[in-house]
Amino acid sequence: NKPGWWKKYGDSLHKWFVRYVGFEEAADYIRIYESQFVPGLLQTEAYVREIITSGGEPDDVVEQRIEARLQRQKRLETDTDMRMWVILDEAAVRRPIGGRENGREIMRGQLERLIELAEDYDNITLQIVPFAAGAHAAEAGSFTLLRYSEFELADLLYLEQLTDADIDDRRNVVEAYTKAMTRLSVAAATPDETLEMLREMLKDLEKGEAED
């Protein structure tokens, strides 16, 4: 119920996203499956800038949105009681972000950040669903589940679309996505295997830079 830091960005952020951030800040367990991009909470500043500037918004709005996303990430550094479980499709990690000149630099920094999170953050579990897993449990696309252990609140499901988003607390819907998250965790590489995958991706990227 207390005013949040995100209020000052209200004019530049979508109303549905401002609502979501309030729920995210209160959650003590965040579960994410992402099929297209690295989730916003884990993005580097260069990755954030490339994603947000591609939307064609005015410069002042772009800068406000970048600042808001980076501010949102600060919780990772300050709230060690908050737990995150993130499952990424391999495509989300391998998809190039940025142009020919800066794309590799952006992705190198992003891979290094994911490796840092996997190695040094005990409250973050990171898994990748490899291409070799074939069809898996994420037919519904990317989603986020929020849990509130200290409050008498139901788990919430967050689904984002191009122009809006849904926040759903219906038990049958949340349970369906919770089961999908469990199936994805089985199909995915283990956290240790995921860390090795990320290191190999980084090596491949650096090798490509050297050959150029």
Side-chain angles (χ1 to χ4, degrees):
N1 291 324
K2 64 181 180 180
W5 58 261
W6 55 93
K7 297 295 184 181
K8 71 175 183 178
Y9 300 106
D11 291 339
S12 60
L13 301 178
H14 299 296
K15 291 182 179 179
W16 47 264
F17 186 72
V18 171
R19 180 169 176 252
Y20 166 72
V21 172
F23 284 118
E24 182 185 85
E25 282 285 314
D28 57 8
Y29 188 23
I30 302 172
R31 290 166 288 175
I32 301 171
Y33 170 70
E34 179 56 65
S35 62
Q36 300 295 325
F37 301 101
V38 173
L41 284 170
L42 309 184
Q43 293 173 0
T44 64
E45 182 174 352
Y47 192 105
V48 170
R49 184 169 294 278
E50 189 66 30
I51 293 292
I52 293 179
T53 55
S54 65
E57 299 286 353
D59 290 346
D60 58 335
V61 172
V62 166
E63 292 303 321
Q64 286 280 297
R65 289 182 180 177
I66 292 170
E67 184 179 334
R69 185 164 300 184
L70 297 176
Q71 178 68 35
R72 180 176 156 222
Q73 294 176 359
K74 290 185 177 180
R75 189 181 178 197
L76 298 183
E77 310 295 336
T78 60
D79 188 358
T80 56
D81 292 330
M82 184 270 291
R83 294 180 297 138
M84 286 185 66
W85 179 15
V86 180
I87 301 179
L88 303 172
D89 193 282
E90 186 172 346
V93 189
R94 290 197 179 274
R95 173 171 288 104
I97 298 297
R100 186 176 181 84
E101 294 183 0
N102 65 345
R104 282 181 174 169
E105 182 179 351
I106 292 172
M107 291 310 298
R108 182 174 67 249
Q110 185 60 67
L111 288 172
E112 290 172 344
R113 175 57 172 166
L114 291 175
I115 290 170
E116 176 190 11
L117 292 167
E119 288 181 330
D120 300 337
Y121 287 67
D122 294 335
N123 59 327
I124 297 177
T125 300
L126 186 60
Q127 290 183 268
I128 292 175
V129 180
F131 292 139
H136 46 74
E139 297 90 349
S142 305
F143 60 90
T144 298
L145 292 162
L146 303 176
R147 176 164 293 176
Y148 307 88
S149 301
E150 297 182 5
F151 305 99
E152 294 182 1
L153 296 173
D155 289 4
L156 295 180
L157 167 70
Y158 174 69
L159 297 173
E160 187 173 314
Q161 292 90 41
L162 181 62
T163 58
D164 61 6
D166 294 321
I167 298 175
D168 200 325
D169 65 352
R170 290 175 295 173
R171 175 175 290 185
N172 63 317
V173 176
V174 172
E175 286 182 352
Y177 279 87
T178 300
K179 290 177 180 178
M181 190 76 178
T182 300
R183 293 195 297 272
L184 282 162
S185 71
V186 174
T190 67
D192 287 342
E193 292 168 344
T194 292
L195 181 56
E196 190 58 34
M197 286 179 68
L198 291 169
R199 289 171 176 159
E200 288 299 320
M201 290 179 196
L202 183 59
K203 287 180 182 177
D204 290 344
L205 189 62
E206 292 173 342
K207 181 180 178 181
E209 290 178 328
E211 291 175 350
D212 287 349

